[in-house]
Structures are given as C-alpha cells and as structure tokens.
Amino acid sequence: MFGYPGLSSPSLQLNEAGKLKHLLTLEGLKPHHIQDILDRADGFINTDTRQIHKQPLLKGKTIVNLFFEASTRTRTTFEIAEKSLGADVINLNVATSATKKGESLLDTIYNLEAMQADMFVVRHAKSGAAHFFAHHVAPHVHVLNAGDGRHAHPTQALLDAYTIRHFKGADFSQLRVAIVGDILHSRVARSQIQVLNLLETEEIRLVGPKTLLPHDASAMGAHCFTDIEAGLKDVDVVITLRMQNERMSSARLPSEQEYFETYGITEERLKLAMPDAIVMHPGPINRGVEIASTVADGPQSVILDQVTFGIAVRMSVMAGIMQT
Amino acid sequence: MIAITIQQGRLFDPANQLDVITDLHINHGRIIAIGEAPADFTASKVIDAKDMLVIPGLIDLSTRLGEPGLEHFTTIARETKAAVAGGITSLCAMPDTDPVNDTFAVTELIQRRARQAETAYVLPVGALTKGLKGEALSEMVAMHREGCVAFSQANQPVVNTQTLFNAFDYAATHKLLVMMRPIDAYLGKDGVAHRGAISSALGLPDIPSAAETLALARLLLLAEETGVRLHLSQISTARAVEMIHDAQARGLPVTADVAIHNLHLTEFDVADFASFMHVQPPLRSQRDRDALRAGVKAGVISAICSDHTPLMHDDKLLPFPESVPGISGLESLLPLLLALVREHILTLEQAIKAVTHQPASLLGINRGSLQVGAPADIAIVDLETDWLFNRRQLMSAGDNTPFHKWPFTGKVHTTLFQGRVVHQPKLA
C-alpha cells in the first residue's frame, strides 16, 4: 500500500461521512468501500444467466459521458449501465485539440453543469485529469474516472475484482495474481494493483520486460518478474494487458512477434499456472500479440464474463455515488 | 539622493564576517559608514531597525521578468517590485524571452526597461546560441559589452556536442561566464515528475536522475577541456552534488546553484496532482533534497535562487502533465531560506551568503555585501513576524506558488536599492 502523506487526498473523493462522492482512484479507499461496491453489484446481475437487472435508481438524473480519448467499448458499457439505472445519458466525444487551453477545458465542464448534468464519466489522455475535474466541478456534481492517462481506471479494476471473486471466492488472501504486459503505461494495472492490495491478495506479480515495468513496484505493493515462466508459476489468476503499437515506435519493444515470443500467454506457458487458473484481459485483445487465440477462447478464459460483470459493477458504482 | 541612517539593526554580512548591532549610513546611493556617522553627515531619513536583521540585498541567479514577450501579462517594472518586496535587489534575467535575448538590441531593451523602473538591478543573461537553438553562436562579446553577465541556454540543451564545445571554447576565449542547466536532450524529455515512487504510483511520465547527471558529465568534461568558466544552474539530484564536488576537488573552477523549492519539496508533494508543484527540474526524492541541503552546507552549491517563473492562470489550470512548469518565486525565496535556518538545516550565515556575496562573486559584481563604498542595496528583515504566505497578495503578476498558506516567520520590512527605499511596509 502507498500510505504516503497527502497521496491522492481521500477528502477529494469522499464526503464527510466517508462515503464516495466521486470515484477517481482506488488509492486511499478502505476495504469496505470495495466490498460495498462488489456486494451491491450482485443485486444488478444474475451471475448464472448473466442477466442484468434494470433498476431505475437514477431516474431523472443526467449523466454525461465525457470522452477526451477515443473509446468504444468502455463508453458503451458505461452507457448500458447508465440506461439500466434509468438515467438520461449524453455522450460527448471531445477532440482534445479543441480544448488545448485550460479555460476552455473548464468551460466545457461549466457549460455541461449549466445544462443540469449530475455526473461526468470522464476519460482523458493525461494522468491526473479526473482529479482536475473533481477539483473544479460544482459541489453537487459527481465525477467518475473512466481512465486518466497512465494513472487509474478504477471501474475496470473493480470489475476485475468482481470477476476474480466470482470464480475464486471472496477470500483473496491465498491468491497469487500475475499481471502480464505493459504495466508502465497501464492505468488498468495501477488500479488493479490497488484493488488487489485492498482485498489482501497474497501476491501480486508484475511480469514484463524492464522497458514496460514501473520503476518502483514495491512502492505500489507488487513484485516485478522479467522471467515469464517464473512469473506465471503457480498463479491463480493471469491478467494480460493490451499491447499498444506505440511501444514499438517509442523503442520499448522491437516487434509484436518478439513480444509474443517472449511474453505472450500461450497454452504451454499457461500450464505453469495452477490448473484451475483463470485468464483475464481488459480488452480489446490483440490475438497473437499478448495472448494466443487458443487461450483467449479456451476454457480458462473469463474475458467475456468480465465484460458482462462490468455492467453490473459500473451500475453499482454509479448508484452508490449518486446516492451520497 | 537622500542621506539615510539605518539605526541599531543587526548588521549581518557574511562577506565581511560582520554580525554586529550598530548604525549604517548611506549617502549618494552608497554605504558610507558603519557605526559612527562621518562628521559632516546629516541623515535626512532615519530607519529604525531595532530588533531587525540588516543584510545585503539578495541576488537571484535565475528569474523571468516577462519582458520582452509577455508585456500583456507582466513587466520588468512589476516583477522588480515583487523582487524588492522579497528583499531581492539584483536579478539575473534568463534569456528565454520572446524574442530570445540573443542580440545586444534585446539586452539593451531589458536594461532600458530596468533603468526606467529603477527598482532593482537587472542583470541580463544572454543566449549562448542564437534563438537558444543550439546551432549558431550568439554575439557574446557585443552582448557582454551591453551588460550580459553570463550566457545560458535556459531550459534548452545543446544537442550537437561539437556546437557546445565551440560555444564553450568561444566563451572561454573572452573569459565569459557560462550558466548551464544540465538537461539531456532526450532522456525524460516528455517527463513531468521524478522517476521514483510517486511517478510509478501515479503513472506520470518520468524524468530519471540520469537526465541530469548525463548532461552534467558532458558539461563538466567540456568545461575541463575548454577551460570555460562554468556555473551549473538548478541542480536537483544527489548524484549531481557528488559529481560537482569531485570536479571542484580536482580544481575545476565550477560553481552551482539550486532552486529554493528543491530544498523544501520532494516528489511526494506532487502526489495530489497539484499543478503548482509542477517544476523543472522536477521535485525529486527526499534523499536528493537532503543531499542538496548538504551540498549547500558544504559549499559545493554556492548559491540559492528562486528560479522565478510567473505564469498566467491558464498555464496552471490544466491537468498536471499539461500544465506549464514553474513557480512565481521572488517573494517566497527569503521566507523559505529563513525557514531552513529556523529548522536548523542551514545556519544564518550559510543561508545569507548563498543569496548575497557568493552569487555576487561568481557573477563578478560589486554587490552582495555591506562593505563601505558598496552600492546601498539592503534588505531589512523583521525576523519575528509570523505570517501566512498568500498567493493573492503577491506583487508579481504570477500567483503560481505551491506555498500558499504556508506559515512563515520573518518578513522583509524595508528594501533599499542604490540608497533609495524601494519597498517599505504599508501604513496600517
């Protein structure tokens, strides 16, 4: 755990009663916050039939999906979750170039507030952007971080925790989890590490080449492995991350082929993990780059379950925040 | 010119090892006597400095004053007022203006504006290369004649090592001082925070310490080879302190300064994504900060500056990585120094000499002391006043400070520049 003085001051996202009024990061939250979200999510889904239970808890509320960075999948699951809660939904894909200046970035927010928005679901390419918005919105407006730069993607990590809990049970204290790939640039990994630590996971391994590992993993509460075989040995959960083309052009990796050869999750490598290990991926997957198709489509893959559970978890987060 | 007596202050001047409670007399803009007034002297103004510290006006090796280029935002007149409000009477003006200070015409303009303001001594620092582009040499001799005290690349590294070598060789030919901030051209170029625990945790693009030490090694080796007189600006890492210490131990006449905020703040202070904490070089680890403090104590780092960078609201009203780095620092330099003294991190002598006679001597200017005959640039400091620093009360046009609401003890009471009172407390 971080425990640094002042690190992401919890006061920004918690109200006086200690309840979430924004969700910007999982850092600074207590285990009960996580448990509440996961437990409430149970009420929004039948995990046997994968059926989502629509409940009009946010009827009359307006939620703006404010995406400064392109996204189809995340935005869509948010939209489904919002509509399943009966909220009015507005989607705005804001070209970053139009909001280069600080004032106009804020003007966007102020204008939307004036149009009676109750919550912003924000995605932005820069770390800290969600904090920036939370600092500047009106007191009654909620901010939900849908991914900011390399910093955090809390709802993804929560749905991952929900998925692990579904398949492995509520006790994480015996679990070994390997996160494989580009940890350095991954907001998903940062939030996953936080949620896994909050749930007292026995071991969190970060697996990848040094060019894609964070400088100080121990400060994040995780251990680095550059050896894929050692990293996968006896783990209960394998989380693969998406490999961006950009890592080739920025000279962090020579090629997708070489990455697959050295760190790709293949059936053979998966045998090193526990026999009942599950394989996860935040999507969208690059087949043959970070994961072999046979694994992605194989019996241990829970990748599509993550997507469905994600709707319930996002419903739970939004219902929780909007009711404070 | 009025004759002034500063009465019964504690005169503190490390250059002359002076620490005594007595009178100081000023006439025609100069200090004419300490203690007894000359027989024919009559003061037309007496400043009661009882229980106050009387020190040489501070010399700040790195500032940005808005002109030319940002006149719509701030001016030399305004920023020098901010300087004297902070007890600073001499300021080096960095060349990264618009246009760049790379010709004597720009140097002359800066000098003229400063003379018109008559508030503080502005020392232009010329661009080492034209447009700071690292390609062609600027007319250093002509600019020096016009008043440039040193030559610098501000935040721009010289990529081509041959060009850098030539620039040093040329500056050495004419015995010109070169002030360089060690920054690698590529490593950490897109970074916004120290490569450490916080950048890892927050996912901020990072700047490794090696971005500084690599560039430093290159500068030190070229200084040794060319014999140029090199000053290193705003170092930020423990390893750089060691390297400069080693170079000095081998007899290389190299000096260094540090920005005051790097002696106070660390990487942990960026943990809230507060854009006011976004600076260059970045706030580094606690170990680095402690090594910088030790470097000042040991004399490896001989000057402390504000690295004053007044910024417009919009520049900081952005998510941390997109905000413009820099602190409006003129008015917090002395309070932050005195805080280090109160915390027993520096002695009063170590603190004051790093902003007075040491920067004066490395610039080769006759300032920074209370020597009889020297220009009467003086700060009178009330060491006992407790106050809260407030960014809304700054004289500078830039209110970009991370020190808002910091409690300080000790405040500038009166500042004199060339024998004139240029800052005094407002009447209650």
Side-chain angles (χ1 to χ4, degrees), chain A residues 6 8-9 102-103 127 151 190 216, chain B residues 197 200-203 271-272 314 317 321:
Chain A
S8 303
S9 57
E103 290 291 27
S127 304
H151 171 235
R190 279 187 180 76
D216 193 347
Chain B
S200 296
L202 296 188
D272 273 339
D314 284 8
L317 221 50

Side-chain angles (χ1 to χ4, degrees), chain B residues 128 140 151 166-178 228:
Chain B
L128 188 69
M140 292 183 229
F151 294 87
N166 297 350
F168 278 15
D169 238 359
Y170 188 79
T173 306
H174 299 286
K175 300 192 168 48
L176 300 171
L177 173 65
V178 168
V228 76

Side-chain angles (χ1 to χ4, degrees), chain B residues 168-409:
Chain B
F168 278 15
D169 238 359
Y170 188 79
T173 306
H174 299 286
K175 300 192 168 48
L176 300 171
L177 173 65
V178 168
M179 299 172 102
M180 297 291 284
R181 191 185 267 192
I183 309 174
D184 188 79
Y186 299 104
L187 191 60
K189 182 167 163 280
D190 300 320
V192 295
H194 172 62
R195 176 176 164 86
I198 294 296
S199 66
S200 296
L202 296 188
L204 289 170
D206 62 25
I207 306 174
S209 296
E212 175 165 299
T213 50
L214 266 176
L216 176 60
R218 180 172 178 254
L219 293 169
L220 289 172
L221 291 168
L222 291 181
E224 191 165 352
E225 188 87 19
T226 59
V228 76
R229 174 62 188 88
L230 173 66
H231 174 78
L232 296 154
S233 302
Q234 293 98 57
I235 61 163
S236 67
T237 63
R239 190 77 182 85
V241 177
E242 275 177 37
M243 291 166 71
I244 294 165
H245 172 263
D246 292 349
Q248 289 169 339
R250 283 188 299 106
L252 203 65
V254 57
T255 51
D257 72 62
V258 61
I260 185 73
H261 45 261
N262 284 89
L263 294 177
H264 276 274
L265 306 172
T266 66
E267 57 178 332
F268 295 104
D269 291 298
V270 309
D272 273 339
F273 295 109
S275 61
F276 284 148
M277 296 288 179
H278 186 190
V279 289
Q280 246 182 9
L283 302 173
R284 295 207 183 264
S285 69
Q286 203 157 315
R287 198 179 71 84
D288 290 307
R289 185 195 63 181
D290 293 347
L292 292 167
R293 288 172 166 184
V296 172
K297 279 184 97 71
V300 176
I301 299 168
S302 54
I304 300 171
C305 68
S306 69
D307 198 30
H308 177 65
T309 309
L311 295 171
M312 286 176 275
H313 271 277
D314 284 8
D315 294 334
K316 287 291 189 189
L317 221 50
L318 288 164
F320 186 93
E322 291 186 332
S323 65
V324 180
I327 289 176
S328 178
L330 291 171
E331 291 155 88
S332 48
L333 175 60
L334 186 60
L336 288 167
L337 264 181
L338 294 175
L340 293 176
V341 175
R342 285 186 83 86
E343 289 163 32
H344 304 290
I345 290 153
L346 297 179
T347 64
L348 185 63
E349 189 194 350
Q350 287 162 347
I352 299 303
K353 72 184 183 185
V355 288
T356 57
H357 95 270
Q358 285 182 171
S361 80
L362 75 87
L363 291 170
I365 58 170
N366 178 28
R367 306 259 165 168
S369 85
L370 297 178
Q371 183 87 40
V372 171
D377 294 357
I378 293 169
I380 303 173
V381 185
D382 176 353
L383 284 181
E384 301 306 319
T385 303
D386 294 320
W387 60 299
L388 282 185
F389 195 75
N390 188 331
R391 69 189 180 92
R392 291 182 193 89
Q393 288 166 8
L394 296 182
M395 303 287 284
S396 170
D399 66 356
N400 48 304
T401 174
F403 303 110
H404 184 55
K405 294 192 177 160
W406 274 40
F408 288 126
T409 301

Side-chain angles (χ1 to χ4, degrees), chain A:
Chain A
M1 294 310 297
F2 304 141
Y4 296 136
L7 180 52
S8 303
S9 57
S11 59
L12 186 59
Q13 58 180 356
L14 299 180
N15 67 12
E16 298 77 15
K19 291 224 187 310
L20 278 171
K21 64 178 176 200
H22 306 299
L23 181 60
L24 310 175
T25 170
L26 301 177
E27 158 61 21
L29 298 190
K30 299 275 187 290
H32 73 82
H33 290 118
I34 307 299
Q35 298 296 358
D36 284 352
I37 291 167
L38 302 187
D39 292 347
R40 192 167 46 235
D42 281 335
F44 293 118
I45 188 169
N46 180 330
T47 48
D48 297 329
T49 62
R50 301 295 193 260
Q51 196 70 39
I52 295 290
H53 303 312
K54 298 187 179 185
Q55 290 179 41
L57 298 172
L58 301 186
K59 194 159 175 49
K61 300 285 186 187
T62 303
I63 300 180
V64 179
N65 295 323
L66 192 54
F67 278 60
F68 294 89
E69 201 182 57
S71 156
T72 316
R73 218 180 35 91
T74 302
R75 210 211 62 215
T76 308
T77 56
F78 266 109
E79 196 175 336
I80 294 168
E82 289 152 1
K83 288 181 171 165
S84 300
L85 289 167
D88 298 321
V89 180
I90 298 165
N91 289 311
L92 275 182
N93 294 315
V94 191
T96 321
S97 60
T99 55
K100 269 258 150 63
K101 293 297 255 181
E103 290 291 27
S104 54
L105 192 62
L106 283 183
D107 278 342
T108 310
I109 295 286
Y110 296 153
N111 275 291
L112 291 164
E113 276 179 9
M115 296 172 203
Q116 315 291 310
D118 298 294
M119 176 187 264
F120 293 114
V121 175
V122 184
R123 170 169 287 192
H124 193 282
K126 297 293 178 183
S127 304
H131 280 69
F132 175 76
F133 291 120
H135 269 295
H136 293 282
V137 292
H140 66 278
V141 176
H142 306 278
V143 176
L144 206 169
N145 186 2
D148 62 329
R150 309 175 186 178
H151 171 235
H153 194 349
T155 58
Q156 176 69 45
L158 287 165
L159 76 87
D160 293 334
Y162 188 85
T163 307
I164 296 171
R165 188 170 91 160
H166 176 78
F167 287 101
K168 295 286 165 192
D171 180 11
F172 281 44
S173 70
Q174 306 293 316
L175 291 181
R176 295 195 183 103
V177 180
I179 306 174
V180 185
D182 183 4
I183 319 289
L184 178 65
H185 299 92
S186 176
R187 54 192 171 214
V188 172
R190 279 187 180 76
S191 288
Q192 284 168 339
I193 294 165
Q194 286 166 351
V195 80
L196 291 170
N197 272 314
L198 281 166
L199 297 174
E200 297 177 342
T201 305
E202 186 187 7
E203 192 184 353
I204 305 164
R205 302 175 181 180
L206 311 180
V207 189
K210 286 189 74 174
T211 48
L212 299 176
L213 288 173
H215 171 67
D216 193 347
S218 65
M220 303 163 72
H223 309 283
C224 285
F225 286 73
T226 50
D227 179 336
I228 181 76
E229 276 79 25
L232 292 179
K233 185 96 182 95
D234 298 334
V235 297
D236 303 285
V237 178
V238 179
I239 301 176
T240 50
L241 297 174
R242 182 175 163 80
M243 183 55 58
Q244 313 275 0
N245 289 331
E246 209 186 316
R247 307 304 162 230
M248 272 40 93
S249 57
S250 61
R252 300 224 175 226
L253 284 179
S255 68
E256 293 179 340
Q257 292 74 15
E258 186 156 311
Y259 178 74
F260 185 69
E261 193 182 303
T262 47
Y263 291 97
I265 304 300
T266 57
E267 284 178 287
E268 200 185 352
R269 283 191 175 130
L270 190 55
K271 288 184 188 137
L272 295 163
M274 298 301 279
D276 61 348
I278 55 171
V279 176
M280 298 168 58
H281 192 298
I285 60 177
N286 293 310
R287 290 164 185 265
V289 179
E290 66 262 0
I291 190 166
S293 279
T294 47
V295 175
D297 304 332
Q300 287 168 272
S301 168
V302 298
I303 295 171
L304 293 175
D305 297 303
Q306 288 175 266
V307 178
T308 314
F309 294 164
I311 298 166
V313 170
R314 287 180 172 124
M315 287 171 75
S316 168
V317 169
M318 289 190 280
I321 288 177
M322 298 285 268
Q323 280 162 7
T324 56

